[in-house]
Amino acid sequence: MKDTITLSVFRGDHTGGEERSYDVPVTEGMVVLDAVHYIQQHLAPDLAVRWNCKAARCGSCSAEINGRPRLMCKTRLDVLGEGVIHVRPMKSFPVIRDLVTDVSWNYRVARQIPGFTPAHPAPFVMHQVDVERSQEFRKCIECFLCQNVCHVLRDHDLKSRYVGPRFMIKIAELEMHPMDTVDRIDFTQKDAGVGYCNVTKCCQEVCPEHIHITDNAIIPMKERVADEKYDPVRMLVRAIRGR
Amino acid sequence: MSEAIETHEHDVVIIGAGGAGLRAAISAAQPGVRVAVLCKSLLGKAHTVMAEGGAAAALGNLDAADSWRTHFYDTVRSAHFINNYRTAEIFAKEAPDRIIELEGWGALFDRTPDGKIMQRPFGAHTFRRLAHVGDHTGLELIRTLQYRAIQSEVEFFQEFTSTRLLLDGDRVAGVMGYYRETGRFALFRARAVVLATGGWGRLYQVTSNSWESTGDGAAMAFMAGAELGDMEMVQFHPTGMVWPPGVRGILVTEGVRGEGGVLLNSEGERFMLRYDPERQELSSRDVVARAIYKEVQAGRGTPHGGAWLDITHKGAAFILRKLPNMYDQYLTLANVDITKTKFEVAPTCHYTMGGVRADPETCATTVKGLYACGEVACGLHGANRLGGNSLSDLLVFGRRAGEAAREWAQGLEAQPGIDAAEVQAEQERVLAPFSVEKGENPYDLHAQLQAVMSTHAGIARDRAGLEAGLAKVEELKERSRKVACGGSRMFNPGWHMCFDVKSMLTLGEAIIRSAMARTESRGAHWRTDYPDETEEMGSVNFVVWRDGDEMKLKTAPVPKMPPELRALFETGRAPGVPAPTGSPSERR
Ligand SMILES: Cc1cc2nc3c(=O)[nH]c(=O)nc-3n(C[C@H](O)[C@H](O)[C@H](O)COP(=O)(O)OP(=O)(O)OC[C@H]3O[C@@H](n4cnc5c(N)ncnc54)[C@H](O)[C@@H]3O)c2cc1C
Ligand code: SF4
Ligand code: SF4
Ligand code: FES
C-alpha cells in the first residue's frame, strides 16, 4: 500500500458545495474515519462529521464512499484500491454541513409506529426459536444506510408515503414479537406504505448488520398484508417464487 | 455579540440520553410534568449503545442459589469496601425488577431452555448473572428505552451541548448550551436537573470510550459546587484490541472469557492460573489488567505488547452464535478470524468509578435540585466496577433520579430565577475561542492531556510520576485559556473540542490529586510505591470540590455497614455458596 492517500471530501452545506482533496499518511489497518479524523486534526479542524463509537455499533458515521453507502469506521482503506477516495454525505437526506445530514425525518417516523403492547406484564416465558426472528431486526444500529439506498426514498423522494426499510423491520419486529398484541397490518399498508417497496433488495445489500431486510421482514409483511389486502408486487413475487 | 436567546421552561431537564438519562426520563414523565432530554449526539447513539456483555441482576434463572445478597456481596468485595453499602444494597435488590421491566417494554434477551431470560457468567460474579443479547446488550437496552420514551410526552433536544448549570442561590435553576448544528445558544429553565452524562474515558490515549465521554457533566457539576468523589478510581479493562494502530483500545468483551476464552503469554502459558488460581480468567478486571501489564513488563508480551486471547476450542458455530460482533470486529478491522486463531489483547481505559457524589435513595447531589445517575455518579462501584453492573446501575438509579427530580420539581412553588448577566457571560465564554488569534489548537491540547494522563496516572502510578503529571496538567490548563478555533459556528468540531478539553482538564486534575492522596493500592488504583491495601485508607473516600478558582481535596468517611450486612462477609464465602464439607464458617 502507498504511504499517502488522497481523500476527496465533500465540503459544503444545503446551499451547495464541492469536493476538496486532502493528502493523508496511511498506517496499517486504517479506516476511512481515521483518515477523516486526521484531516480534522491537521488540515481542516472544522470538517463536520458524525461518529461516536468507531466500532460499527452506533450507526453514526454513514457516508457514501466511492459512491457506495458505508460506515466510515468499518471501511478499511486497503479494500478501496489505490485511487483517490471520494467521501460524500448520504444523498437521500438534506446536507447540514460537509458529511453531516439531516436525518430527523427518521425520528419522526419512529414516533408514529404503534409501540409494543404485551398481553400481560413481564416476565414472559418465550423460547429462543420464537424470539430469534425479532432479535435479528433488533440488531439494527439505525445507520439509515438502507433508507439512503432505497430508490423509493432516494430517487422518488416518497418519504411522505413510504417509511423505508429501517421502519419496515421495526414494524416486522413488533409484529413477530411473541407477546405483542397490536395489529399493525392496516398501518403497514396505509401509513407505512409497504406497497411502494418492489423488493429490489438494495437495502439488504448495504446493511452493515447483515439483516435480511427484504427476505425476512418486508416480504413476510407483504404476505401478511396480502392475506388481508391486495398488493400487485406481492402477486409478482409469488409468481416468481412459483407458489 | 449578544443574541436573542431561545428559552425553554421545564420541570425536569435531563442531560444525557444514554441508559441512565432515558430511564430517568421515563420515570420523570407523568401527565402535566414538562420533561426535556438534552444530548450531544443523536438519539440512540449514546455510549450505552456500545455495551456488550450484559446487565447483571440476581434473577436466579440458571443458578437458583443466587440472591440480592450474593450480588451485593460480589459488588462490595470488588469495590474493595469503599463504595456506599446502601447504594449497593438498593442496587442489588432492585436490579432484577428493572431487567424484567425492560422485557415488559419489548426487550428480547437471549433465553434459557425453559424460556426465561438467559444469564451468562462474568468476571467476579459468583453465579451466572448477566442478562444479555449476544454481544450487543447495550443496543438492546438503549433501543428499548428509546422507543419507550418516544411514546411519552418527553421532549428531546438532540445534538445539543450543555455547557453550564445555572443556579439561583444554592439551588439549580437551569442549563445553558448550544445546538451543535447551528451553534446557536439555548437556555433551559428548570426546577430540577438530572445529570446522566456518562464518564470520561477520553482522558486516556487507549480507551474503549466514544468521543462523548469527555466528562462534561462531572465538570459542570464541579463548577456548580457539587462534590466529586473517588476520582482516582479509573477502570482499565483487561482486553482491548491492540493491532492495527487505528483500532487500539476498542473493547473485546469480557464475554469472550465468560464463554470460555483463555489468556496466554508469549510462552503459551495460561498465566492467570498464577495470578488468581481460583477465578482465573474470570478474576476481577483490576487483577486481570494488572496481570497482563506485568506479563508484558516481564518480557512475555505478544508482538504488539499484549496477551493472547484464545477461544478457538469452542468451535466456529458456538463463537458465531455467542459472539457475532466480536467475530465481525476482528475479521473486518484486523483481518483475524477468531474462530481459527488466537488474537492479541491489552488493557484499555474503560470506565470511571468516581464522579458526582449522589445520595443512595434519591441520587441527589450536594447542590439542591441537581441529581446524578449512571456513570457520571459515584457511590456504587468503589475501587472497581464489576462487569455488567453498569447497565443495571443505569436502570436502577436512572429510575430513582427521575422520580426524585420530579418530586422535587413538583414541590417548588415557582420556577427558580435566572441571572441575565450570567447568561450573557456564558455566551461570551463559549464564543471566546473564535476571537483568539494564534491560539492553541484544541486537538493538540487533547492529545497532550491524553499522553500526560496515560503516562502519569494510568494503570501503574507512583508519587514522582503523579507530581510531574500534575505540573503538566497545570501547564496545559494555562495554555487552554488561549484555546482557539476557526470557521463558523455551524457544526464545527474544532469549536466543540475547545469545550470538551476544558472539562477533561478539570477531571484530569481531580484524578491526579485524588491519586496522590490515596497512598495505598486498592482495586483499580495501583501505587507501585505503596503496593498494599491499608486499613486506614479503607475507611475513607477522597472528595474534591471547588473553592473559587481552586480545587480542594478532603476525605469523607466510608459509610459503615449495619451488622446484618457486615455479617455477610464474615464467613469468607459468598452467600448461597455451600460450605466446603466438614469445615465450619471460619474458613477464609
Ligand atoms: C465498549 C463498552 C462495553 C461495555 N459493556 C458493558 C457491559 O457489557 N455491561 C455493563 O454493565 N457495562 C458496560 N459498559 C459500561 C456502560 O456501557 C457505560 O458505563 C454506560 O453505558 C454509561 O451510561 P450512561 O447512561 O451513564 O451514559 P452514556 O451512555 O455515556 O450517555 C451519556 C449521555 O450524555 C450526553 N452528554 C454528555 N455530555 C453532554 C453535554 N455536555 N451536553 C448534553 N449531553 C451530554 C451524551 O450525549 C449521552 O447521551 C461498557 C462500556 C463500553 C465502552
Ligand atoms: S427492497 Fe424495498 S425497501 Fe429495500 S431498497 Fe428495494 S424498494 Fe427499498
Ligand atoms: S436495517 Fe441495517 S442498514 Fe438499515 S438502519 Fe438498520 S442497520 Fe442500518
Ligand atoms: S462511529 Fe459508530 S458506527 Fe461508525
Side-chain angles (χ1 to χ4, degrees):
Chain A
M1 199 156 186
K2 291 189 299 188
D3 297 345
T4 61
I5 196 147
T6 305
L7 254 74
S8 177
V9 184
F10 176 84
R11 302 296 313 266
D13 55 31
H14 66 279
T15 61
E18 57 183 19
E19 283 184 25
R20 254 180 259 163
S21 291
Y22 302 94
D23 289 337
V24 175
V26 177
T27 56
E28 190 181 334
M30 200 168 185
V31 294
V32 172
L33 187 61
D34 291 322
V36 168
H37 280 162
Y38 178 89
I39 297 170
Q40 268 188 342
Q41 274 167 37
H42 301 281
L43 308 169
D46 64 340
L47 169 63
V49 60
R50 270 198 194 104
W51 70 284
N52 271 44
C53 66
K54 210 178 145 336
R57 289 179 180 259
C58 72
S60 302
C61 65
S62 307
E64 299 193 2
I65 302 167
N66 288 346
R68 203 181 138 76
R70 286 170 175 275
L71 295 178
M72 285 185 268
C73 70
K74 210 186 174 186
T75 307
R76 287 173 57 138
L77 297 180
D78 52 14
V79 304
L80 296 173
E82 299 277 292
V84 173
I85 296 171
H86 298 271
V87 188
R88 301 185 64 91
M90 287 193 284
K91 174 172 174 267
S92 299
F93 301 106
V95 174
I96 293 175
R97 221 168 79 85
D98 306 339
L99 300 175
V100 175
T101 56
D102 178 357
V103 292
S104 57
W105 171 73
N106 293 287
Y107 290 93
R108 289 195 295 279
V109 173
R111 277 197 127 126
Q112 289 159 17
I113 300 174
F116 174 66
T117 316
H120 61 78
F124 307 139
V125 173
M126 299 185 285
H127 292 281
Q128 189 62 37
V129 284
D130 298 324
V131 301
E132 239 147 45
R133 186 47 30 97
S134 289
Q135 278 187 332
E136 178 189 3
F137 307 141
R138 290 182 71 87
K139 278 167 54 187
C140 171
I141 57 174
E142 298 200 328
C143 65
F144 307 129
L145 286 173
C146 57
Q147 305 287 74
N148 182 47
V149 291
C150 175
H151 68 101
V152 182
L153 309 175
R154 188 182 177 101
D155 303 326
H156 308 293
D157 200 19
L158 288 169
K159 293 199 184 78
S160 57
R161 308 278 181 78
Y162 181 45
V163 296
R166 157 57 189 139
F167 296 104
M168 285 312 302
I169 64 165
K170 183 73 204 170
I171 298 169
E173 168 217 310
L174 292 163
E175 284 291 295
M176 296 178 197
H177 190 300
M179 298 303 294
D180 183 68
T181 56
V182 178
D183 182 349
R184 296 177 189 77
I185 297 299
D186 207 46
F187 179 86
T188 307
Q189 191 198 26
K190 296 207 184 105
D191 309 73
V194 67
Y196 282 92
C197 164
N198 52 358
V199 293
T200 58
K201 301 196 183 185
C202 314
C203 50
Q204 164 165 317
E205 272 164 34
V206 299
C207 176
E209 288 295 305
H210 314 297
I211 299 170
H212 298 91
I213 304 173
T214 331
D215 297 340
N216 291 350
I218 301 183
I219 293 175
M221 284 311 293
K222 277 177 174 284
E223 290 180 349
R224 286 187 186 200
V225 168
D227 285 344
E228 288 181 27
K229 330 247 173 184
Y230 167 80
D231 170 6
V233 177
R234 179 192 153 265
M235 305 268 287
L236 198 69
V237 172
R238 281 218 165 157
I240 295 166
R241 285 167 143 202
R243 54 177 177 101
Chain B
M1 185 147 83
S2 157
E3 63 188 41
I5 182 164
E6 177 187 313
T7 305
H8 301 265
E9 207 174 289
H10 289 90
D11 296 304
V12 179
V13 169
I14 295 162
I15 314 179
L22 289 171
R23 186 63 191 81
I26 293 169
S27 68
Q30 262 188 6
V33 181
R34 302 158 303 169
V35 180
V37 173
L38 320 178
C39 54
K40 279 207 283 192
S41 43
L42 294 174
L43 195 54
K45 310 296 182 197
H47 185 66
T48 298
V49 80
M50 297 170 74
E52 299 171 351
L59 293 160
N61 287 352
L62 289 173
D63 297 314
D66 200 8
S67 71
W68 74 262
R69 286 188 186 78
T70 322
H71 195 183
F72 171 81
Y73 173 93
D74 291 343
T75 302
V76 172
R77 267 204 6 161
S78 289
H80 291 253
F81 296 91
I82 59 159
N83 57 341
N84 185 319
Y85 78 87
R86 180 65 186 141
T87 310
E89 181 187 356
I90 292 174
F91 165 76
K93 284 182 175 163
E94 295 183 2
D97 285 348
R98 298 285 80 75
I99 296 295
I100 291 169
E101 175 177 81
L102 277 190
E103 177 161 283
W105 293 343
L108 287 172
F109 292 103
D110 286 350
R111 317 305 297 179
T112 62
D114 55 351
K116 296 185 194 156
I117 294 173
M118 183 67 151
Q119 300 189 270
R120 84 165 23 127
F122 231 57
H125 285 281
T126 301
F127 295 111
R128 289 170 287 180
R129 193 177 279 148
L130 270 67
H132 62 276
V133 187
D135 51 9
H136 47 267
T137 315
L139 174 66
E140 189 66 17
L141 190 130
I142 205 164
R143 257 332 154 259
T144 304
L145 295 173
Q146 171 189 347
Y147 275 82
R148 176 80 186 182
I150 61 172
Q151 306 278 333
S152 69
E153 298 292 297
V154 174
E155 285 182 80
F156 288 94
F157 297 85
Q158 304 182 44
E159 299 194 314
F160 181 88
T161 301
S162 316
T163 60
R164 189 181 188 84
L165 296 170
L166 300 173
L167 300 181
D168 177 0
D170 61 352
R171 61 184 183 169
V172 93
V175 181
M176 277 245 342
Y178 62 84
Y179 292 99
R180 299 171 79 83
E181 181 181 333
T182 57
R184 292 193 70 82
F185 290 104
L187 164 63
F188 289 82
R189 302 187 58 175
R191 295 175 178 220
V193 172
V194 178
L195 287 175
T197 47
W200 38 97
R202 282 269 145 199
L203 254 94
Y204 290 83
Q205 274 167 329
V206 178
T207 174
S208 65
N209 285 200
S210 81
W211 70 267
E212 289 192 307
S213 304
T214 51
D216 310 355
M220 283 190 283
F222 174 80
M223 290 307 292
E227 292 179 353
L228 308 183
D230 297 339
M231 291 299 292
E232 72 278 20
M233 296 303 176
V234 177
Q235 179 169 76
F236 292 85
H237 192 292
T239 59
M241 289 179 82
V242 180
W243 193 258
V247 305
R248 186 154 197 142
I250 295 182
L251 191 75
V252 176
T253 175
E254 192 165 317
V256 177
R257 283 170 289 137
E259 300 294 352
V262 294
L263 287 166
L264 306 168
N265 62 21
S266 62
E267 293 165 6
E269 181 207 6
R270 223 182 125 187
F271 57 87
M272 280 314 297
L273 299 180
R274 224 178 332 115
Y275 291 92
D276 186 345
E278 199 182 318
R279 298 182 296 181
Q280 304 162 5
E281 274 80 5
L282 291 183
S283 184
S284 58
R285 288 181 174 169
D286 51 330
V287 175
V288 184
R290 258 192 313 273
I292 296 177
Y293 180 90
K294 286 179 183 166
E295 287 302 301
V296 174
Q297 294 290 310
R300 293 187 292 269
T302 54
H304 303 104
W308 296 112
L309 184 54
D310 189 355
I311 187 157
T312 52
H313 54 281
K314 285 294 197 175
F318 177 88
I319 297 168
L320 288 176
R321 187 162 46 85
K322 285 293 188 181
L323 304 160
N325 281 340
M326 267 315 110
Y327 169 78
D328 211 35
Q329 183 173 310
Y330 266 89
L331 199 63
T332 20
L333 299 178
N335 286 341
V336 170
D337 180 346
I338 66 168
T339 67
K340 297 208 174 78
T341 61
K342 57 188 183 192
F343 51 100
E344 279 183 272
V345 292
T348 180
C349 177
H350 187 55
Y351 187 88
T352 46
M353 275 76 74
V356 185
R357 276 163 67 85
D359 176 71
E361 319 281 337
T362 61
C363 305
T365 68
T366 44
V367 174
K368 284 186 193 147
L370 181 65
Y371 300 81
C373 57
E375 191 170 342
V376 69
C378 121
L380 175 60
H381 307 292
N384 179 48
R385 173 180 74 92
L386 275 185
N389 267 6
S390 170
L391 291 186
S392 22
D393 170 9
L394 311 181
L395 300 171
V396 169
F397 295 102
R399 170 175 159 275
R400 283 181 167 262
E403 253 169 33
R406 165 164 47 72
E407 280 164 16
W408 166 269
Q410 286 170 329
L412 287 191
E413 302 263 293
Q415 205 79 15
I418 296 286
D419 176 357
E422 201 181 342
V423 171
Q424 177 65 31
E426 179 60 4
Q427 295 182 55
E428 283 162 19
R429 183 182 80 91
V430 173
L431 291 178
F434 285 108
S435 40
V436 175
E437 295 214 10
K438 292 216 182 79
E440 295 282 349
N441 176 333
Y443 293 101
D444 290 346
L445 287 178
H446 181 213
Q448 287 165 26
L449 175 62
Q450 286 180 319
V452 171
M453 294 307 291
S454 306
T455 312
H456 297 278
I459 294 194
R461 303 165 172 181
D462 63 27
R463 191 175 129 203
L466 288 165
E467 276 173 359
L470 185 61
K472 290 183 189 170
V473 169
E474 296 282 6
E475 191 190 308
L476 288 172
K477 241 171 73 181
E478 196 48 47
R479 282 170 55 194
S480 77
R481 290 182 208 281
K482 293 194 297 289
V483 68
C485 66
S488 81
R489 280 163 69 178
M490 278 183 62
F491 218 112
N492 182 343
W495 177 40
H496 303 163
M497 181 56 98
C498 295
F499 167 73
D500 295 348
V501 162
K502 290 195 176 177
S503 298
M504 287 189 278
L505 280 164
T506 304
L507 302 179
E509 181 182 346
I511 291 173
I512 297 184
R513 287 190 187 281
S514 307
M516 286 166 69
R518 191 170 280 284
T519 47
E520 65 159 355
S521 291
R522 182 179 295 271
H525 174 68
W526 178 28
R527 286 280 302 252
T528 52
D529 48 352
Y530 295 94
D532 300 313
E533 239 176 62
T534 69
E535 212 170 303
E536 181 201 348
M537 288 279 159
S539 61
V540 292
N541 296 112
F542 291 98
V543 174
V544 297
W545 90 103
R546 185 175 72 89
D547 183 5
D549 275 345
E550 238 185 289
M551 183 178 286
K552 289 276 175 67
L553 181 114
K554 65 178 180 192
T555 58
V558 174
K560 284 237 179 328
M561 263 184 240
E564 69 274 16
L565 291 178
R566 202 159 354 108
L568 296 175
F569 299 89
E570 276 157 17
T571 64
R573 193 166 17 86
V577 174
T581 39
S583 85
S585 58
E586 297 308 299
R587 224 179 74 110
R588 274 251 146 190

